[in-house]
Amino acid sequence: MGSYKGPSCKICRRNRVKLFLKGSRCFTAKCEIEKRNFPPGSAPGARASKMSEYGVRLREKQKLRYFYGISENTMRRSYQRASEKKGITGYNLLLIFESRLDNVLYRTNVCRSRKEARQIVRHGHVKVNGRKVDIPSFEIRVGDVVELSDKKRDFFIGNLQALKDAQIPATYQFDEKALTVKFLHAPKREDIDVPVQEQLIVEYYSR
């Protein structure tokens, strides 16, 4: 996630929105946004300074970066790809990030956070269409089947049980017995719960 090595909760507090950087913890009362929903370094109830138009667009871009855990270089390359595709650039950008292997593992509750998913992939516990893949940014396409290592069955099943109240999106089909995830179709914009206005990000890069 770039060069930032500080507390993840400070990122959410700075942006005044949950970015779900700590997985299941973000759904509990321990979440820092629930306890201290004000920017770090500010007093509770302090008046926030007005942001410039550039600052607003920069903040949206940064929120998307942190939400998916990507670097600035990856962000720029992905935007370039999205702008070259047919359709709405902002939506295309979100689809690129939603198709990442680490995101797919997180969306299906196989991993509790994208950070955990990246670690699982790098350690060689995931295959795509029968071939081992250790690159978290690997892009999953419609119809692809993600296979999970049976050596980590207890880990994966444990995560599913811990997050049993969180529904798996209809975009994916998870087979608990075979430990496989199939990417059925691309999600619609309303199905992508990203707390950003992607049009502002398009305007940021188009300036």
Side-chain angles (χ1 to χ4, degrees):
M1 192 162 62
S3 59
Y4 181 77
K5 302 297 182 182
S8 299
C9 292
K10 281 191 175 183
I11 298 175
C12 297
R13 289 179 58 202
R14 175 63 62 190
N15 290 283
R16 306 293 291 273
V17 65
K18 286 188 180 184
L19 298 176
F20 303 97
L21 304 180
K22 286 198 170 183
S24 56
R25 180 188 176 94
C26 299
F27 296 96
T28 69
K30 294 181 179 180
C31 175
E32 286 294 315
I33 287 290
E34 300 291 346
K35 298 189 295 183
R36 299 185 293 174
N37 190 11
F38 54 88
S42 302
R47 184 177 179 180
S49 59
K50 186 177 180 179
M51 297 180 65
S52 65
E53 291 187 4
Y54 172 80
V56 171
R57 287 157 178 73
L58 174 63
R59 176 63 57 83
E60 289 300 299
K61 187 265 295 183
Q62 293 294 76
K63 282 197 298 185
L64 187 64
R65 272 191 57 217
Y66 286 121
F67 186 84
Y68 286 106
I70 59 177
S71 67
E72 179 61 36
N73 287 337
T74 299
M75 185 77 181
R76 286 184 177 277
R77 289 196 300 268
S78 299
Y79 175 78
Q80 184 63 36
R81 286 180 55 203
S83 64
E84 293 171 353
K85 291 184 176 182
K86 294 181 179 180
I88 303 173
T89 299
Y91 174 59
N92 290 341
L93 182 63
L94 296 182
L95 285 183
I96 289 174
F97 295 144
E98 283 293 311
S99 300
R100 287 172 57 103
L101 180 55
D102 56 356
N103 180 76
V104 171
L105 296 181
Y106 170 71
R107 290 294 192 191
T108 52
N109 300 336
V110 170
C111 294
R112 292 166 294 184
S113 67
R114 292 180 178 85
K115 183 177 181 180
E116 183 177 82
R118 285 192 289 274
Q119 186 177 35
I120 288 295
V121 174
R122 289 192 181 111
H123 287 182
H125 296 301
V126 179
K127 292 182 179 179
V128 177
N129 298 330
R131 299 180 61 181
K132 186 170 76 171
V133 176
D134 57 4
I135 303 174
S137 61
F138 183 86
E139 190 170 328
I140 302 299
R141 302 182 184 277
V142 173
D144 284 353
V145 176
V146 179
E147 303 173 51
L148 308 173
S149 173
D150 198 60
K151 295 179 180 179
K152 301 287 289 185
R153 173 176 287 274
D154 291 342
F155 171 81
F156 295 132
I157 299 301
N159 282 350
L160 288 167
Q161 292 299 320
L163 298 171
K164 60 183 178 181
D165 293 332
Q167 296 183 347
I168 296 176
T171 303
Y172 312 101
Q173 181 182 62
F174 181 75
D175 187 328
E176 184 174 327
K177 184 176 180 180
L179 282 182
T180 59
V181 176
K182 186 173 183 179
F183 191 13
L184 300 178
H185 58 80
K188 298 179 180 179
R189 176 59 185 95
E190 55 267 26
D191 297 328
I192 305 176
D193 59 343
V194 181
V196 299
Q197 300 179 55
E198 62 272 16
Q199 181 56 36
L200 293 179
I201 300 174
V202 174
E203 292 174 7
Y204 171 84
Y205 282 112
S206 301
R207 72 189 189 283

